[in-house]
Amino acid sequence: MRPSESFPKVKYLYGPVATIFASTKTGSWRILRPVIQQEKCTRCGTCAKHCPLDVIEVDRGNKEKEVVIDFEYCKGCGICANVCPRKCIEMVPERGVK
Amino acid sequence: MIQLKLYGLGGQGVVTAGKLLATAVAIYENKYAQTVPAYGHERRGAPVYADVILGEEPILVKSFVYKPDYVMVFDLAVLEKGVDVTEGAHANTCFVVNAHQLNPEFPFINKFGSVYYVDATKIALEVLGIDIPNSAMLGAFAATGVVSIDAVCAALEETFKGKAGERNVEAARRCYEAVRKFS
Amino acid sequence: MDGNAAAAEAMRLARVQVISAYPITPQSPIAEKLADFVAEGSLKAKYVRVESEHTAMSVAIGAQLTGVRACTATSSVGLALMHEVLGVASGCRLPIVMAVVNRSLASPWSLWCDHQDSMAERDSGWLQFYAEDPQEVLDYLLIAYRVAEDPRVLLPAMVCMDGFFVSHTPAVVLVPEQETVDSFLPPYNPANLYLDPDDPMFVNDLTPPSDYTEMRYQHKVAFEEAFKVITEVQEEFFRLFRRRYSFIETYKCDDADVVLVTLGSMSGTAKYVVNELRAKGYKVGVLKIVVFRPFPADQIRNALKHVPVIGVMDRSAGLGAEGGPVWIEVSRALSGLEPMPKVAGFVGGLGGRDLAPHVIEKAFRNLIDIKEGKIEMRQGSKWIDVREDAMKIREVKVNV
Amino acid sequence: MYEMMTQAKGLVSHGISTCHGCGLELAVRHILSVLGPRTIIVIPPGCAALFSGFGKETAVKIAGIQGNLENTAAIAAGIRAGLEMKGIEDVTVLALAGDGATVDIGLQALSGVFERGDRILYVCYDNEAYMNTGIQASGSTPLMAWTTTTPGKKPVWRKDMLKIAAAHRIPYVASASVGYIDDLRKKIAKAKEAKGPAYIHLQTPCPTGWGFDPSRTIELARLAVQTRSWPLVEIVDGRVEITVKVDKPRPVSEYLSMQRRFAHLTQEEIDLIQQNVNKDYQELERMKT
């Protein structure tokens, strides 16, 4: 028997518990913004693999598809720029960039 | 309410004797019994004691014994170790002592009630092959009439089981026969 | 069967599934016996041989959260070591049931009985029962499981027994049939917090000030609910097992003008002394507190409202307080009564010192003297059995 | 149970209040992506507690509990015992604790789990100090590192947790690094299958505590390995393997000089650290089968 089958549902839980899966909009923390030179990028995926927030979308090997970063969450730490083997990500000041 | 104090040395089964006696009375005579063991850091050879209370009615008291009606001495060596086995004894207190013979100098002679003695060590060695006189001493105690020898033997059989039970019963019965009243 | 054996037997009857216990005198026989039950197959449980009491309680918490009945047992400094995690068990509302064999706290080191260990945990959010003898140990443990697991309560419970005086004192114990126990105590069915990959939640995360008070309030309400639930469960226990229990037990209190309030094994001795004193014409009685958490203030007030002089025997020192903890709570429960009874406190039986009949009698004599106007009642708890040379027991040679 | 207030690619939500460039944050995503949803996680207070959540909200999609600082292993053992009694075999019990909660206050409970053979996967994320409380030294803080409680420098060696774990003869022990993600993922996958306790000691550089630019977390983690300061090894049933071989090590000074916590080091001290790194690596090669 799976434990959940034995658990009756109750409307209110007592004691400390989190039941909502949520996130903090960490994009507002950003001072520097990663800008990708899409033409130079080989879509190797190194940046996505090392992004602490997992917010870089790369279709590996597919040059047709642009690399996309979710700026709602990107903190602008710059790890992606640092690990990029071809150095095609640049960190630019957040303000003044659209 | 009958109160008992058992004195002996660590390793002689004093605490076990208290439990056996309580079992004999409570289970096999349908009366009430209680033993509060006094545990401590004591190890083999150190003086130990156990307190037993027996009664016709439920025993309310949950404490040690201060005025024993019966005192069992498993080993007279406790006297040399500074234990006063007569503490709290009164005019009718009966002593049951493991001794080959009694010395009139012993503190329990002629000052209280009656004194019974038996060489329980010798019997234990002969029957059990070990110097643990507790079963034998319980047999001797049955001679006082407080508990029947049959109840003691039943408790011994239950506790030790099988061959060991039989031998302990034999030690108890031999002691029961051999015990003498000092006069 | 002694108190320890009765505790192990109760846990087997409750079909506990995870046992995490660490040996400590005088609790060790419980840990040993449960290990035996598991080894011989008479109890289907996982025995986790932990390396400390802190871990014992932590394992119980983890296990209970998966939806099984967990149990442990401890004593003295072991209970103190658990202190931090006792709050986790109760705060997470996990109905873990634990046997506590009362033993003094260090220092001084002592192997023997008093109530300072469990009294130190009286505000840890656990239910507390105090047993007078091995039968009560077994019965209260079964009752504790039912109460603790009731969805209206969801609190962990300690069943406390006096070290040696109950834990190691054999007495005849009626062991109920497994079938009857099964009908009294159905399988554990966690309805509140749990850990289930198929139905995940995150338990015990950081809680902001905006919610903390409310969670404590829920906890407080659970204790209030426990009054109702304990009464119901005791009633059902009586129906099935024919032994009646209540929050308190009164002994010859009806016509008494002097009553001593007790806890645990001293209650029996106090009853014995009551009989002796009654034979001499004194109208005395005993009120034993069975459930200390939740504290049965109403029941105590009702039972004692007609009694002019009341004594409370604390088996803990209540250091720095006006008196012992039980005295403080009983005094509070009785305050406001008209006429206001005199409530005298006593401290005794510490570190294994026997609360012998003559000590209890001394307390009663003191109360009778107060009743008869021979002495004034002193505020705070009186140390009833302290040696006269208390301040001089360690004398060293000093060069003057 | 979880009410989904946000979308996430994996089991961890994308916005977590960890510091910029947090090595731990990257590690948690990879660990949980390897282990999958049938995992129960135990997290003590500390940086990783940011994943436990706050109030009603959590940042992981799996079942979890935040324990106390010292009982991560013990709670995990209890969960395993409970699952066992319920006949549930396919769930990984993951303990995720920092170096303070592991090598200091939690060592006793962890040692108990190792000795008993409880089947849990214990990952110590080592950022080499109590970072959540503000960079106080732990038993895993390296020799001569600055922390707020070792204002000059830490005068004593760190505990060798790998050897401590291995001395318990548990089936799986490994070191890992966020600089070597593939190696880490392989080790997590192996540890998941271990028949008893598995221990992974994972270095997660901390820009805040170590004093380096957040963009260089991976660079620094790799440098730790390439200078042989943080060898990547695996000890399976007592057999030692070096999983990332470093044949031409770079000087330790390269690794140290990138971190403010070592800024005060003299050449002599750097030499001492280098000598020790050499000695430790030689010993490791000797142990290798």
Side-chain angles (χ1 to χ4, degrees), chain A residues 2-98:
Chain A
R2 285 257 166 270
S4 54
E5 290 167 31
S6 66
F7 295 153
K9 300 290 170 203
V10 292
K11 191 162 169 61
Y12 300 106
L13 298 177
Y14 300 129
V17 62
T19 59
I20 296 170
F21 178 69
S23 59
T24 308
K25 296 282 185 264
T26 43
S28 63
W29 299 13
R30 206 168 48 248
I31 298 165
L32 296 172
R33 161 188 287 239
V35 176
I36 299 166
Q37 293 169 264
Q38 301 281 354
E39 316 74 51
K40 203 172 155 194
C41 167
T42 63
R43 311 293 189 268
C44 70
T46 306
C47 56
K49 183 167 152 185
H50 292 93
C51 171
L53 292 99
D54 192 16
V55 289
I56 307 177
E57 212 53 63
V58 183
D59 193 353
R60 279 184 70 179
N62 183 357
K63 284 281 281 181
E64 304 303 304
K65 221 156 166 208
E66 286 209 338
V67 175
V68 181
I69 297 174
D70 186 346
F71 286 108
E72 210 173 347
Y73 296 112
C74 169
K75 293 176 187 167
C77 67
I79 285 180
C80 51
N82 185 268
V83 296
C84 176
R86 291 183 60 94
K87 298 289 162 215
C88 58
I89 305 177
E90 196 187 349
M91 299 304 291
V92 299
E94 176 71 12
R95 274 161 224 188
V97 178
K98 285 232 158 122

Side-chain angles (χ1 to χ4, degrees), chain B:
Chain B
M1 200 163 83
I2 300 168
Q3 307 195 62
L4 294 86
K5 201 116 188 151
L6 281 55
Y7 294 96
L9 299 177
Q12 292 182 328
V14 175
V15 171
T16 308
K19 286 188 192 171
L20 281 163
L21 186 55
T23 307
V25 171
I27 308 286
Y28 297 102
E29 295 197 329
N30 272 318
K31 293 179 193 165
Y32 296 88
Q34 163 182 300
T35 169
V36 182
Y39 277 80
H41 277 310
E42 293 85 15
R43 291 291 178 263
R44 193 165 288 274
V48 290
Y49 62 91
D51 298 39
V52 182
I53 303 177
L54 310 172
E56 301 284 332
E57 284 170 35
I59 295 153
L60 291 168
V61 174
K62 291 274 181 299
S63 84
F64 297 118
V65 166
Y66 297 90
K67 292 173 185 163
D69 305 301
Y70 292 85
V71 174
M72 275 195 250
V73 183
F74 282 47
D75 197 321
L76 285 164
V78 297
L79 303 180
E80 292 149 31
K81 300 195 184 215
V83 176
D84 178 9
V85 298
T86 66
E87 194 180 354
H90 51 78
N92 295 319
T93 299
C94 167
F95 290 81
V96 182
V97 185
N98 176 12
H100 170 61
Q101 61 180 43
L102 294 180
N103 178 342
E105 303 288 303
F106 287 146
F108 43 83
I109 305 283
N110 294 331
K111 294 193 193 79
F112 305 95
S114 45
V115 178
Y116 290 82
Y117 69 104
V118 66
D119 195 345
T121 302
K122 183 166 162 262
I123 290 172
L125 280 169
E126 280 172 16
V127 180
L128 305 168
I130 42 167
D131 178 17
I132 300 180
N134 60 352
S135 303
M137 282 297 286
L138 289 178
F141 181 69
T144 62
V146 171
V147 61
S148 74
I149 183 69
D150 289 345
V152 167
C153 292
L156 287 170
E157 268 169 4
E158 185 203 284
T159 305
F160 293 105
K161 301 198 172 72
K163 266 265 172 281
E166 285 171 28
R167 281 202 298 269
N168 277 283
V169 164
E170 195 194 329
R173 286 201 187 275
R174 278 193 45 189
C175 245
Y176 177 69
E177 301 295 337
V179 69
R180 295 287 170 266
K181 196 167 184 173
F182 179 78
S183 50

Side-chain angles (χ1 to χ4, degrees), chain A residues 19-21 49 52-53 75, chain D residues 3 16 18 20 29-30 58:
Chain A
T19 59
I20 296 170
F21 178 69
K49 183 167 152 185
L53 292 99
K75 293 176 187 167
Chain D
E3 190 185 329
I16 310 272
T18 50
H20 281 78
R29 290 181 196 284
H30 283 288
T58 181

Side-chain angles (χ1 to χ4, degrees), chain D residues 28-91:
Chain D
V28 173
R29 290 181 196 284
H30 283 288
I31 293 166
L32 290 184
S33 111
V34 175
L35 294 178
R38 295 197 67 71
T39 301
I40 297 178
I41 191 168
V42 186
I43 300 176
C47 293
L50 293 167
F51 295 82
S52 309
F54 184 49
K56 290 179 196 175
E57 298 179 348
T58 181
V60 291
K61 286 181 193 165
I62 55 172
I65 173 171
Q66 185 172 320
N68 303 67
L69 195 56
E70 67 293 331
N71 64 0
T72 314
I75 292 184
I79 293 169
R80 173 56 74 202
L83 291 175
E84 201 179 310
M85 287 312 293
K86 294 194 80 99
I88 299 169
E89 297 271 313
D90 66 334
V91 170

